[in-house]
Amino acid sequence: AQSVTQLGSHVSVSEGALVLLRCNYSSSVPPYLFWYVQYPNQGLQLLLKYTSAATLVKGINGFEAEFKKSETSFHLTKPSAHMSDAAEYFCAVSEESGGSYIPTFGRGTSLIVHP
Amino acid sequence: NAGVTQTPKFRILKIGQSMTLQCTQDMNHNYMYWYRQDPGMGLKLIYYSVGAGITDKGEVPNGYNVSRSTTEDFPLRLELAAPSQTSVYFCASSYMTATYGYTFGSGTRLTVV
């Protein structure tokens, strides 16, 4: 069975600082991995996804994530935070089960950006 | 291109009332999903559908029903609303399987009093 753990329900950074949001997963087979972003009062938007191609995945808005099989991690990073990055971020993992690939979502990490 | 459209955006129900949350997508996606989002709990899958006429239960289906008569529409029915169903509900769709990533609607905020 798959599961997702996002370390830290809140992460606070200063504008211009490195953003690091952690995601660890458990999966019995090579998974598909995703990061979604949710701005206030909006639905989730796909940031990036890993589907067994390059282990370093680049997404929108300058975010990227690296798939590390040995650590079962898929951490999200951005070199320099902007005020507009303040949002809720969700990691999701998907593996094949009965012909479907229904993802499991983490509980989310709220990114707070200070001026 | 509207993507995934959910109506209504907000609703207050009294205990025991029923309602239908509407979801429509115009991307010809086969797969559609209903999630509920509660603070600090992430998203929980209620029901999903892999095509017209086919639906299946997710993690938290109790108290809900769905139907999928067309590719475009995937309504979620709440019968006998309870306070535990107070939540934000999201509809999503994907091309073929979820490996392509989801497109989400903007959500329906439901309060049961």
Side-chain angles (χ1 to χ4, degrees), chain B residues 33-53:
Chain B
Y33 316 81
W34 274 106
Y35 284 87
R36 60 177 288 170
Q37 183 182 31
D38 300 299
M41 299 302 293
L43 280 77
K44 301 294 185 183
L45 181 66
I46 305 171
Y47 272 95
Y48 68 99
S49 169
V50 301

Side-chain angles (χ1 to χ4, degrees), chain B:
Chain B
N1 189 352
V4 178
T5 302
Q6 289 183 239
T7 56
K9 293 189 180 301
F10 304 93
R11 183 72 185 269
I12 298 175
L13 278 182
K14 293 184 178 179
I15 294 172
Q17 287 185 321
S18 301
M19 76 164 293
T20 299
L21 282 64
Q22 301 291 344
C23 176
T24 299
Q25 53 92 8
D26 62 359
M27 298 169 287
N28 203 32
H29 285 173
N30 286 319
Y31 285 55
M32 295 188 75
Y33 316 81
W34 274 106
Y35 284 87
R36 60 177 288 170
Q37 183 182 31
D38 300 299
M41 299 302 293
L43 280 77
K44 301 294 185 183
L45 181 66
I46 305 171
Y47 272 95
Y48 68 99
S49 169
V50 301
I54 305 170
T55 62
D56 208 346
K57 295 178 180 179
E59 184 179 358
V60 290
N62 292 342
Y64 307 94
N65 279 299
V66 294
S67 59
R68 184 93 182 272
S69 57
T70 66
T71 299
E72 295 78 19
D73 300 309
F74 191 42
L76 177 71
R77 178 79 176 165
L78 278 72
E79 304 282 2
L80 299 175
S84 61
Q85 293 178 303
T86 294
S87 188
V88 181
Y89 292 84
F90 288 101
C91 179
S93 70
S94 65
Y95 175 69
M96 295 305 289
T97 73
T99 56
Y100 285 80
Y102 285 169
T103 298
F104 279 86
S106 58
T108 295
R109 185 174 295 275
L110 175 67
T111 302
V112 182
V113 296

Side-chain angles (χ1 to χ4, degrees), chain A residues 34-104:
Chain A
F34 308 83
W35 275 101
Y36 287 85
V37 60
Q38 184 181 31
Y39 298 102
N41 300 315
Q42 295 186 25
L44 280 71
Q45 178 184 359
L46 182 65
L47 261 182
L48 49 81
K49 63 181 179 181
Y50 167 77
T51 57
S52 74
T55 56
L56 182 62
V57 181
K58 295 187 182 298
I60 61 172
N61 301 337
F63 283 93
E64 63 183 33
E66 185 173 9
F67 171 64
K68 292 187 176 180
K69 184 177 179 180
S70 61
E71 300 177 8
T72 60
S73 69
F74 191 56
H75 302 331
L76 182 71
T77 60
K78 182 174 181 178
S80 177
H82 296 161
M83 296 296 291
S84 60
D85 294 328
E88 190 88 12
Y89 291 81
F90 293 92
C91 181
V93 61
S94 176
E95 66 178 41
E96 192 274 340
S97 176
S100 296
Y101 286 84
I102 307 299
T104 297

Side-chain angles (χ1 to χ4, degrees), chain A residues 8 13 20 29 42 52 55 98 109:
Chain A
V13 300
L20 171 61
V29 298
Q42 295 186 25
S52 74
T55 56
T109 297

